Amino acid sequence: PQYRSRLDATDSAVRVVQPPGVNLSAAELVDVDVERRFPDVPGRTAQKTTIDERILDPIRTVESHRPVGVSDVDGALLCGPPRNDADNLARAVAGELSIPLIPLTPQTIGGHPSASQTTVAEETIAIARANTPCVLFIENIDRLTPSGIGATQGASFTDLVAGLLTEAATSDAVVIATAETPSAVAEPVRNADCFDERIAIPLPGASTRERLLRESIDDRLVPPAFDWERAAAVVEGLGTAAIRAVGEAAARTTQQNGERLTVDAVATAAEKHRDDAGGSPRYIE
């Protein structure tokens, strides 16, 4: 029912709306069939429960009484180290709700001349408003609208984004953004109405670290007595993407040497990853 106003009568596919006067291609930007669901994100049980209770449940409850539209739930700011599952969880929100996802990223903005960056932001959010209900996903919003002195976009751009996000939220777009910390986001954006919910996405716990390693290493390389618990311990302090990279690196080395996987191989790969990242800061990516 939530798509009834945008169904194609011939094939029942979701029809993407191209807003008038917008040069960006809505057909290229809108992901109408997000396949990611919560089970596709390793671990993160507490965060999934929080998102389900604070965002998804209120939306589903309202939709049972309203045939079109998301709800009065505006969205959330997911905070934690970069490449640490916040983006996967944001996409899973769209997948769990079976609604389209429209991304706005610093890379999207940065790929245009400075004079056009405001236009790109305006047109992306216009596409989101025209294709509701949807998830407007803003990755690394602290890079797009950073706080403090040296914010490259300037106050006018920050104020513009804050206003656009508020408009998007009131038009049945669920705004999900990721940032390292709330304080890293420019205050006008941080305090926009769409970010009432702020959910911490910490570094992976032991069980998630183990699952990430298991998923990134071919079972054929692993001896029966391999100590996954110890392996998970040596990658403590690494983010989700980094753990996957360490697992893949350890697997490559093991395969090239014609050996079976050892915890030392995982530890060596983790140490190299840390060295390549410049030491051991608060978190490693």
Side-chain angles (χ1 to χ4, degrees), residues 7-243:
L7 289 178
D8 187 289
T10 58
D11 60 8
S12 295
V14 176
R15 185 172 64 246
V16 175
V17 177
Q18 177 71 37
V22 170
N23 292 319
L24 287 181
S25 170
E28 294 180 3
L29 193 64
V30 179
D31 185 350
V32 298
D33 186 20
V34 180
E35 297 182 352
R36 185 164 292 146
R37 302 290 191 274
F38 280 161
D40 300 320
V41 183
R44 302 297 186 186
T45 302
Q47 289 73 43
K48 293 173 188 174
T49 299
T50 299
I51 292 171
D52 195 59
E53 291 176 350
R54 296 187 189 178
I55 301 175
L56 302 187
D57 277 352
I59 289 173
R60 291 175 181 135
T61 300
V62 171
E63 284 186 340
S64 66
H65 301 287
R66 193 167 73 176
V68 178
V70 173
S71 78
D72 293 330
V73 175
D74 297 323
L77 183 62
L78 307 184
C79 302
R83 303 179 66 204
N84 190 48
D85 279 335
D87 57 335
N88 289 325
L89 289 167
R91 292 181 181 277
V93 169
E96 291 287 333
L97 293 172
S98 297
I99 60 177
L101 180 139
I102 293 92
L104 176 61
T105 69
Q107 291 81 5
T108 304
I109 295 290
H112 295 264
S114 178
S116 302
Q117 292 176 0
T118 296
T119 301
V120 173
E122 288 177 322
E123 292 194 349
T124 299
I125 295 175
I127 289 172
R129 294 179 65 188
N131 287 275
T132 58
C134 68
V135 168
L136 173 61
F137 171 45
I138 309 175
E139 188 175 11
N140 299 327
I141 197 170
D142 49 342
R143 288 174 52 193
L144 186 64
T145 57
S147 63
I149 298 174
T152 57
Q153 298 289 355
S156 59
F157 182 82
T158 296
D159 290 339
L160 169 74
V161 171
L164 290 172
L165 293 182
T166 298
E167 291 177 12
T170 58
S171 64
D172 285 343
V174 179
V175 182
I176 306 289
T178 64
E180 186 176 334
T181 63
S183 61
V185 183
E187 186 175 0
V189 175
R190 182 172 72 240
N191 294 332
D193 291 342
C194 54
F195 295 135
D196 290 337
E197 296 290 349
R198 298 178 185 181
I199 301 172
I201 312 295
L203 290 167
S207 61
T208 301
R209 296 197 300 271
E210 179 176 331
R211 180 174 170 183
L212 289 166
L213 286 174
R214 286 180 180 271
E215 290 179 352
S216 59
I217 298 171
D218 192 317
D219 290 340
R220 293 172 293 183
L221 299 173
V222 183
F226 185 78
D227 192 338
W228 286 107
E229 186 174 343
R230 279 187 58 216
V234 302
V235 295
E236 183 176 3
L238 298 182
T240 299
I243 293 171

